[in-house]
Amino acid sequence: MKAIASSFVLLLSLFSQILLATGLFDDEIKIVGGKEAKSGAYPWEVSVGNLIKVPVKKRMRKLQHTKVKLASHFCGGVLLTHGWVLTAAHCITPFMDRTKVWASPPVGVGNAQHDLKKIYEEGRIPVKRIIVPKEYSEADPTTPGDLALLELQDPLLDAQPACFVQDEDGPFSPLTIIGWGNTERLFLDESTGKWSPPFKPARKLKEAAMKDVSLNEDTICSKRSDLICIDSAKPGDSSCKGDSGGSLVYKNNLVVGITSFGGAKKIGDHTYETCNGDAVYTRLSQYIDWIEENINDKVCIK
């Protein structure tokens, strides 16, 4: 898979913390720590993956190396209806012109028991159309509207659509993040744009408990109602590479946000430690009307 050149937004904040956002699909947020999710626990969670140079025939996909199968994943997603998926705009804008329709889609969506290897082998359903809010700006991934609607070429019938909270403002508790998490913290050399150590995705979907810190005065969420700020409930658990667009889960079965950008700590002249627990999610209650208008359908609200 050929990597798209990355772009990062580093915003200084308190306690030598920075907010980190990226448009590179190889370098999205994933989960460090946590534990493997039980099979079927989050039936709406999907993997958004690369279809470029992926074999069309299943028998050929099965022959690929496991590393290739795992690396095809670049973001998480939330099944809205059997024909529509929600993910983060910064995951998908490198592929689209807002509402472009492709003859040969480069992006697909899969579920397959939350196993990245099986998702690759079974084959992702191609995405035929993408819709992004007008207010979203690729130049600043922390801008409002970090959402993308993905219309599928064929319905994803073997997964259950998500349910959302429309009116509750929070703080939310309990909270869980889910994703196909990286296994350790990562370091970014800002001068070269390089990450270390090598990317190590988890094959199975993972989960970790979080706490809502949106009301804390030192967070961006204290000034923006369209975001939810979280921090780890247990030291060492964190969002990290590959989980952008994935679910923030309230009370085990309601999706209240999707991963937008995460925190990092400066540890050298040009080096930042990422995946430290704090992250920022797009608050979906602010966008229910926009979602339903654009998919021309209703989503589950509880």
Side-chain angles (χ1 to χ4, degrees), residues 106-127:
V107 180
V109 168
N111 180 270
Q113 302 173 357
H114 296 153
D115 182 328
L116 289 183
K117 181 173 179 287
K118 291 183 178 179
I119 289 172
Y120 184 93
E121 292 174 353
E122 292 298 320
R124 290 180 171 88
I125 297 174
V127 170

Side-chain angles (χ1 to χ4, degrees), residues 171-293:
F172 297 104
S173 181
L175 278 179
T176 305
I177 56 172
I178 57 178
W180 282 270
N182 198 61
T183 55
E184 55 188 305
R185 287 179 180 172
L186 296 164
F187 299 87
L188 169 67
D189 185 332
E190 187 184 15
S191 64
T192 63
K194 292 184 178 180
W195 294 87
S196 61
F199 178 48
K200 297 179 181 178
R203 173 177 161 179
K204 299 291 185 69
L205 187 72
K206 296 173 69 177
E207 62 180 5
M210 293 285 143
K211 55 187 178 184
D212 188 343
V213 295
S214 302
L215 298 181
N216 291 7
E217 292 184 359
D218 61 349
T219 69
I220 190 174
C221 297
S222 65
K223 301 176 180 65
R224 286 180 52 180
S225 61
D226 62 309
L227 301 175
I228 301 173
C229 289
I230 65 168
D231 206 345
S232 57
K234 177 184 175 183
D237 291 348
S238 180
S239 298
C240 195
K241 291 180 67 174
D243 193 41
S244 284
S247 302
L248 179 63
V249 185
Y250 172 51
K251 293 183 177 179
N252 299 318
N253 62 358
L254 298 173
V255 180
V256 294
I258 60 169
T259 321
S260 185
F261 52 96
K265 181 173 65 176
K266 189 170 185 179
I267 60 173
D269 290 342
H270 303 288
T271 305
Y272 296 88
E273 182 185 55
T274 69
C275 314
N276 293 304
D278 53 323
V280 182
Y281 282 66
T282 300
R283 187 185 296 270
L284 296 182
S285 61
Q286 303 279 320
Y287 294 93
I288 295 296
D289 291 344
W290 177 83
I291 290 170
E292 292 184 334
E293 178 182 349

Side-chain angles (χ1 to χ4, degrees), residues 12-80:
L12 294 177
S13 69
L14 299 178
F15 308 114
S16 299
Q17 294 293 310
I18 59 172
L19 298 176
L20 171 68
T22 175
L24 172 62
F25 62 73
D26 270 348
D27 290 329
E28 301 304 334
I29 298 175
K30 278 189 174 254
I31 290 175
V32 172
K35 61 182 181 180
E36 185 178 323
K38 292 182 179 179
S39 179
Y42 307 105
W44 63 83
E45 190 75 1
V46 299
S47 166
V48 182
N50 175 40
L51 294 183
I52 300 170
K53 296 184 179 179
V54 174
V56 174
K57 294 183 178 180
K58 182 176 180 179
R59 63 181 179 83
M60 296 301 294
R61 292 196 298 271
K62 284 190 171 183
L63 294 175
Q64 300 293 309
H65 194 282
T66 297
K67 288 184 179 180
V68 173
K69 297 174 183 179
L70 301 188
S72 67
H73 167 87
F74 60 81
C75 273
V78 179
L79 190 67
L80 297 169

